[in-house]
Structures are given as structure tokens and as C-alpha cells.
Amino acid sequence: MNVRIFSWFLVSLLALDTACGGGTGGSARDEPDSVHRARPSNLTCVAPPRPAEEASVATELAFPNLGFNQPIHLLLAPGDDSRVFVVQKQGAVKVIANTPQVSSADTFIDLTSKVNSVPNEAGLLGMAFHPEFSLNGQVFLSYTTYGGPPGGLVSVVSRFRSTDGGRTLDPATEEVLLTQEKVTTRHNGGSIAFGPDGYLYIGFGDGGGPPDDGNPAQNVGSLQGKMLRIDVDVPAGYGIPPGNPFASGGGRPEVFAWGFRNPWRFSFDRVTGELWVGDVGDESWEEVDRVVLGGNYGWPIREGSRCFARDTCASAGLTPPVAEYPHSEGASVTGGLVYRGSAIPSLYGSYFYADFVSGRFWALLGDPSSGQLVPQLLMSTDKAFVAFAELTDGEVLGIDMATGKLHRLVAAEGSAASSTFPQTLSATGCFEATNPGQPVAGLIPYDVNSPLWSDGAQKERFLAVPDGKTIHVGSDGDWDFPEGSVLVKTFLLGGTRVETRLFMRHSDGVWAGYSYKWNDAQTDATLLAGSSTKEVAGRTWYFPSRAECMRCHTSAAGRTLGLETAQLNRSLRYPDGGTANQLTVLDAMGMFEGGLGSSPEALPRLAEPAGQGSLEARARSYLHSNCSNCHRPGGPGGGPADFRISTPFTDMRVCDEPPEQGDLGIAGARLLSPGHPDRSILSARMHALGAGRMPPLASHQVDTASVQAVDAWIASLTTCQ
């Protein structure tokens, strides 16, 4: 590190350290008046334009003056593009005028009192207008409610009617058509839509239990793991379309197709009538299916086109997906639409879909030479797209659940960013061009109290903020960096540089991660296009893909990890040899918008003696930094667990809770069993390697010290109170 950057520390560092209590708490307000407030200039380590994809599209805010509370679905009434209906997970449907400058929303119906939306995958999940809505006022809703076996819930599909000419729906008119009790709160599916045949189609997940527990997706006597089709144009209840595979017996008559894990969003091509489904995968693969009557799509015999959890499997009679992608590219598919608009002519007739976790968009393009559909990456975003809607003109709206905003799909302007994006670390402007191991003067070193486990690698961390810009600190202590910012982390094994990751916020506001692989001579590092591995000192080091970066840097966690006030409230020994509290130093530099103000207590460090933090605080600090990026409200982890350290223990929803993603062969397993680490899935997943491991990415070694601390905490508990 360039010592000249911090030469002004020589006089004031010891005073700073004393004022801030040596990193065990304290406040940035404690700095002496004599602190020099200059900050190093950063003109070179600034995020360049984001690399453009080969067939790029873009998104723009459709209604910039409006946001919604956990929106999960949106749609238009048949033949009416004057209003847009937004389904909110908690149980309300909002309606807005379909004009860009609309600034208010009305309530179409509110079922909050009966919808159980607490678990991540539960809530008001689907909505469908009857094709003759303008005449009969009928709307169908799919939601989860209370009841069912302990630890589970009930999926419900009901008919409602408007009694005021279509302005609202009357909750009192509910007619429950179909219910399904579930033993877990996961894999509910919940999408519903009318097909071109006039029948109502319903997607139900497999229930979320272990795949071999009754195998509901392959059991045609169960509604779980199925696409259903019913006739709602009968005097009461529903009828069975005569063409359904089991209309005359042999299975549930409602079944249209089976073998699904968790069908999340499906749609019908308005031209061909074909049914397209996105089916969320398990450990390794996501898939897109083109569904036909009586088709078996393989789960849990296969995950995508590969045998699931076995070397061989009987595949006769199973329909393979039309597209699939590995978890190096994403982790939760959101089914999309066949594009029939005119704004993006090159995509006309192509099916596009997205990944909820990585934010990536693909389109299935026809291959003239083979007649096969070829996936084409369209764009990478930082948005958690959970659903799409087709407007009457064929254009498309999408929901970013993380921000509650609605976006319109548009054609992207041309960009030369792909060819100019730095291919080597020495070309990034963040390190000396002739000595890439030396950071430039504008990089500011930092360290965290509770780091993410990376197989014991040493880490060098830096942040770079463009000149004239500042960091906004949220009410929860998370730091929101301005556009152009670059976060740098270099990983070393035995003092040898292996990888440097740059996490950049580009000028379009999108965060993206880039991995540079160091050569054996340690003279430079090269940008990787995808995931990779390397043997280093007898160990396997995994380089994550750009999409995998976004699996950890979730939108729910604010994208940046570790950059929060409680994490940086500690002393750091700076390159010139002095020591000071980082918050005081950064605040003295003027790095924070409006100044930092008071600081929360520091996150306990796992390696500190017990006297400097309780066992519970130290264990939960590890869970906060290693698990809460996914396991928190709105996160992609699935299930109800909330590992943020700010969440009271009684509200974490892990104590004595049954597992929803398999029991790992543990009798009487609970997510956390007080006094019993051996019966706690939390402990088992930290001990595991390979499938079932948490955290799931880029780790081939168990974090022994952290596992011991978490196990000791679990063993010390006697109740859930």
C-alpha cells in the first residue's frame, strides 16, 4: 500500500485510537478537532461502463413515481390497457392508471387478514381475470392461508366477483374452489392463468419436503408438483375438462401435466397458444419447459436433463426441458413470456426468462441450422425480477421485488463497453500498471469485524469512491455506495495472490462482480469470463462466475456485503504503521453523506476472547455475516429464517422449527434444536461439504472455529425464549 496516502495520520492516529476505544464500539463523533479531513483523490479506480451483452436489451422504470410493498405479480384485465393490477405478497391487490406519471394506487381487494404471507414463499401468489371479466366481473386469486399440518399451510384458489362494475373486488363474494394442505411452507407455486381454451390453469409446487417423501411430483394422485387445468364455467365449483389425462380415472382429474418441483410463473404464447413454464431447481440446475397435455417433466427423477442425486436413472417417458442453466448462472428461474411486441424487433417470437437471484435475462432464439432453441444471454441486472406481464400491444412489464418498482423492457442503445472493459488487473486503474500488486493512491484499506468464510484465505480489502461523491448510510447501518464506486478484495493463500475481485457499481446503477485470476509469476491477473478452479498449494480454489457473485451479493442485503457501520467499527493498522478506528478515519475524510453521526456497537469478532462478546453474540455475528445475505426477509434463501443480528432470537424463526429443505438424514431434525447441535440442521450444514453445505459457494473446507462457536451456542440454549 502506498504510504504517502496516509502520511497525515502520523500525528493524529494514536489520539484517534484512544478516542474511539480501540474498535470495541465508540462513535465517529469522538474524533479530535485537529484531525486532517483530506481524503485521497481517486481519478482512476472508477467503475467503467458495464460490459454489454451480445444481444442486449435494457429496462427502464415504467412508473417512476410509484413503488409497491413486496409486489409479486402484475397483469391487465382482458382487452383493457388503461389499468395495471399489482399483486402484493401480503394480500392486497393494487390498481394504477397505466400512465407513466401516475403517482397513486387504489386498492382492488385486500385479503391481508386471511393470507399467511410470513414464510418467504407464501402469500398472495397469483391472480387471473376471467376472459369475460367485463361481463361477469369474475377474478380468481391463488394464496396461502393458515391451517394444515403443524409447520405447514394451505394453498387456496378462489373465485371473487366485482359488485361495482369492475372497480373493486368484494371479499365477501369469495367462493373457494380448490385447496391443498401442505406439510411445509415451501414450493407453493401459486401462478394461475386462463389458457386460450378458456380453462383455468394452476401451478402447484411439490410441497417442499424431501424429494423421496412420497414423491408427490410423480404421484398422479396428488395435486402437488403439477400443472392443473379446471373448467370454472359451471354453475358452482369447477368441472373437469374432458381431455385431461385422468378425467376418467387413474389419477387426480385436475392434473394436466406433472413432474415439477416449483413452477414459478407460466404464460401462454398469444400467437401459438403454447404453454411455457419456469421450474425452479434444487442444488444445481434451473429449467424452462414447454408443457403439453399429459407430459411428465421429470422431477425428482431428474433435475433439468440430468439424473438427480444419482448416477443413472430411468428416463423413459420423461420430457426434457427446452432450456436449462447451472447455478453458476443463477439460482431461481422466473418464467417469462414469448415476446410479441414491436419495440425490440430482433426478439419477436422469442421466449425470454430471468433469474430472480442473479438478475440475468435470457431469450430462446431459433437455430436455423438445427431447428433447436438456443439460449442467448440478453443482459445482466441487479434486479430481483419475480414476474412479468404482457401489455395489450405485446410489450412487457416486469417486477423488481427487491425495490417494489415496475420496469419496462426496451431496446438497448449500442455500446462498445465489451471491447474496452479491462481484461487485466493492471488495466483497471485500481492498481499500478507496472506493479499490479500495488494499489493506487485512491484506494482506502478497510477490514471487517466478522468476515465471510473463504477457506481460511488471507484478504486485502479496499474501497474506492469517485471524487466528489459520498456514501449514504441507511437507518439499518448498511452503506449505499454511489455510482462509479469499486470495492476490491484480494485473496491470498500462504502469502501468494490467487484472486482479486472487483465489485463495481456502474453508471447505470447496476452492481456487478468481476474476478481476476493471478498468474503463477504473480505479475498480473486476468479477467475470467466464467467460473474456474485452480490447484494452489494442494488445495482447490474456486473462482465464482459473475452470476454467482450476485447469488451472495443479494438485493435483499443491499448488494455490498460487510460494508456496514457495525462491521467497520474497529481499529485498523494503516500502511504507515499507525492505528485508528476506521469509522473515525472515514468520517474525517468526509466519505459519508452528511457525516456519519453516532455509531452502533461493533459486531463481535469470533476470534476475540469470550469476555469481549457473549457466546451468543459471537455466534450470531458469524451467522449475520455468512448467512443473512440470503436468509432474511425478501432474500433468496427460502424458508422463514432470518439471521440478521438485529433480529431478536425469538423472531429468527429457526428455534425448534422443522426443516423445509430436507432433514439430511437426522432423526427429529430441527433448524435449531436447543441444547442439541447434533439435531440442528444449522450445525449440520456448516459441517457439510458439497451438496447441502452452507454457505453454498466457493468453499471446500469447514470453518472449524466458527462451527465450534455456533455448536457451543446451540448447546448452551435450553429453550426458544
Side-chain angles (χ1 to χ4, degrees):
M1 179 68 189
N2 205 325
V3 177
R4 71 177 183 273
I5 308 170
F6 293 97
S7 60
W8 56 268
F9 283 147
L10 290 175
V11 175
S12 59
L13 283 173
L14 293 178
L16 286 170
D17 191 38
T18 303
C20 290
T24 58
S27 166
R29 293 181 183 275
D30 296 334
E31 93 238 16
D33 292 337
S34 61
V35 172
H36 191 284
R37 295 178 180 273
R39 82 188 219 191
S41 177
N42 173 34
L43 297 175
T44 62
C45 190
V46 178
R50 191 159 54 96
E53 315 295 352
E54 290 184 14
S56 185
V57 298
T59 62
E60 63 181 22
L61 283 174
F63 307 102
N65 299 324
L66 279 180
F68 298 89
N69 186 8
Q70 288 194 284
I72 202 166
H73 187 44
L74 73 161
L75 68 167
L76 276 65
D80 178 9
D81 64 358
S82 66
R83 297 186 295 172
V84 176
F85 297 82
V86 182
V87 178
Q88 297 184 149
K89 183 176 181 289
Q90 291 90 338
V93 178
K94 298 294 184 177
V95 58
I96 62 173
N98 187 13
T99 57
Q101 298 308 314
V102 63
S103 59
S104 63
D106 296 322
T107 298
F108 189 58
I109 189 172
D110 190 343
L111 299 179
T112 305
S113 62
K114 65 169 54 181
V115 170
N116 180 355
S117 64
V118 174
N120 272 6
E121 297 184 29
L124 180 55
L125 304 176
M127 175 175 169
F129 286 93
H130 192 284
E132 301 296 332
F133 170 71
S134 62
L135 299 176
N136 61 27
Q138 295 182 19
V139 178
F140 298 79
L141 297 177
S142 171
Y143 63 91
T144 58
T145 190
Y146 304 90
L153 42 70
V154 179
S155 292
V156 179
V157 177
S158 290
R159 182 195 335 249
F160 294 83
R161 290 178 169 83
S162 175
T163 57
D164 57 8
R167 189 176 65 83
T168 65
L169 286 184
D170 184 353
T173 66
E174 181 176 16
E175 176 191 356
V176 175
L177 300 181
L178 188 150
T179 62
Q180 173 64 52
E181 289 192 351
K182 300 180 69 271
V183 298
T184 77
T185 62
R186 301 176 65 241
H187 299 187
N188 302 308
S191 295
I192 58 176
F194 279 89
D197 53 12
Y199 297 129
L200 181 64
Y201 288 72
I202 301 164
F204 274 164
D206 71 350
D212 57 354
D213 184 14
N215 202 359
Q218 290 297 316
N219 177 6
V220 296
S222 167
L223 296 181
Q224 297 187 124
K226 308 294 190 301
M227 289 296 299
L228 311 178
R229 182 174 71 164
I230 61 176
D231 181 1
V232 298
D233 290 328
V234 295
Y238 63 88
I240 302 299
N244 280 10
F246 308 109
S248 300
R252 287 293 297 260
E254 299 92 343
V255 171
F256 179 84
W258 62 96
F260 300 97
R261 183 175 179 269
N262 193 28
W264 185 250
R265 299 309 174 208
F266 62 84
S267 64
F268 295 91
D269 183 349
R270 64 161 66 181
V271 173
T272 67
E274 290 177 318
L275 172 58
W276 294 81
V277 176
D279 194 21
V280 179
D282 190 83
E283 291 285 344
S284 303
W285 292 88
E286 302 297 305
E287 70 178 79
V288 172
D289 297 305
R290 190 163 43 189
V291 176
V292 298
L293 180 70
N296 181 349
Y297 293 85
W299 177 257
I301 302 169
R302 297 194 309 194
E303 183 185 16
S305 60
R306 294 154 177 80
C307 294
F308 176 70
R310 69 200 84 176
D311 294 330
T312 61
C313 57
S315 298
L318 304 183
T319 302
V322 295
E324 59 185 340
Y325 59 91
H327 279 191
S328 60
E329 299 296 318
S332 182
V333 65
T334 295
L337 299 161
V338 175
Y339 180 70
R340 297 295 180 183
S342 60
I344 316 172
S346 62
L347 285 186
Y348 184 85
S350 300
Y351 178 79
F352 77 86
Y353 53 103
D355 190 87
F356 176 76
V357 177
S358 71
R360 290 191 158 193
F361 267 74
W362 294 266
L364 292 181
L365 307 177
D367 181 351
S369 62
S370 65
Q372 300 298 310
L373 294 173
V374 178
Q376 169 67 60
L377 180 64
L378 296 179
M379 62 176 169
S380 298
T381 76
D382 63 351
K383 299 175 178 61
F385 279 104
V386 70
F388 300 97
E390 187 176 25
L391 304 178
T392 55
D393 61 1
E395 302 304 334
V396 175
L397 296 179
I399 298 175
D400 177 10
M401 189 177 181
T403 62
K405 293 288 190 177
L406 307 186
H407 296 260
R408 187 182 306 274
L409 209 64
V410 297
E413 297 180 2
S415 172
S418 292
S419 60
T420 61
F421 196 84
Q423 299 299 301
T424 59
L425 197 62
S426 58
T428 61
C430 299
F431 293 83
E432 299 288 351
T434 58
N435 181 13
Q438 178 77 11
V440 298
L443 265 65
I444 301 173
Y446 75 94
D447 201 0
V448 296
N449 283 313
S450 184
L452 188 71
W453 171 247
S454 302
D455 283 0
Q458 304 91 47
K459 302 175 187 178
E460 296 174 347
R461 301 177 179 87
F462 303 91
L463 61 88
V465 176
D467 286 354
K469 295 187 178 182
T470 54
I471 302 165
H472 173 77
V473 180
S475 58
D476 58 356
D478 277 348
W479 294 7
D480 183 16
F481 283 77
E483 294 173 3
S485 297
V486 181
L487 307 179
V488 180
K489 188 186 297 184
T490 294
F491 300 82
L492 304 92
L493 294 175
T496 299
R497 292 182 177 89
V498 180
E499 177 185 6
T500 295
R501 295 177 192 166
L502 304 186
F503 196 52
M504 298 180 170
R505 189 167 197 182
H506 295 286
S507 57
D508 57 2
V510 173
W511 282 101
Y514 305 93
S515 179
Y516 289 81
K517 181 179 181 179
W518 280 88
N519 60 28
D520 292 338
Q522 299 283 279
T523 57
D524 210 343
T526 303
L527 178 66
L528 295 176
S531 61
S532 181
T533 58
K534 182 179 181 179
E535 295 300 315
V536 182
R539 300 166 55 180
T540 299
W541 184 260
Y542 184 83
F543 301 82
S545 68
R546 296 174 195 177
E548 284 176 314
C549 284
M550 307 314 290
R551 287 187 62 187
C552 289
H553 290 273
T554 65
S555 56
R559 295 301 181 191
T560 61
L561 305 180
L563 276 302
E564 53 185 71
T565 306
Q567 279 276 34
L568 272 76
N569 193 356
R570 57 165 295 178
S571 294
L572 179 68
R573 186 174 182 82
Y574 285 93
D576 59 9
T579 302
N581 182 284
Q582 297 176 107
L583 298 182
T584 301
V585 170
L586 292 170
D587 201 26
M589 289 181 179
M591 294 298 296
F592 300 112
E593 177 186 304
L596 182 61
S598 60
S599 303
E601 288 298 314
L603 278 181
R605 305 192 71 190
L606 193 70
E608 288 177 336
Q612 294 186 26
S614 70
L615 178 61
E616 176 181 356
R618 292 160 64 212
R620 289 202 56 192
S621 178
Y622 173 88
L623 297 176
H624 174 86
S625 58
N626 284 266
C627 308
S628 74
N629 56 320
C630 288
H631 295 283
R632 63 168 64 197
D642 183 357
F643 285 119
R644 293 174 299 173
I645 199 167
S646 59
T647 302
F649 175 67
T650 53
D651 295 332
M652 288 178 65
R653 296 180 63 84
V654 295
C655 191
D656 211 28
E657 293 279 348
E660 296 187 349
Q661 300 188 50
D663 60 12
L664 303 182
I666 300 172
R670 292 292 184 267
L671 294 181
L672 186 155
S673 180
H676 300 283
D678 57 319
R679 296 209 298 263
S680 299
I681 294 295
L682 172 59
S683 171
R685 291 198 179 278
M686 291 179 65
H687 279 277
L689 291 174
R693 173 163 175 71
M694 291 291 172
L697 289 175
S699 179
H700 296 88
Q701 295 186 6
V702 173
D703 185 357
T704 303
S706 300
V707 169
Q708 290 174 347
V710 172
D711 281 355
W713 169 54
I714 296 173
S716 72
L717 297 172
T718 57
T719 71
C720 292
Q721 302 302 314

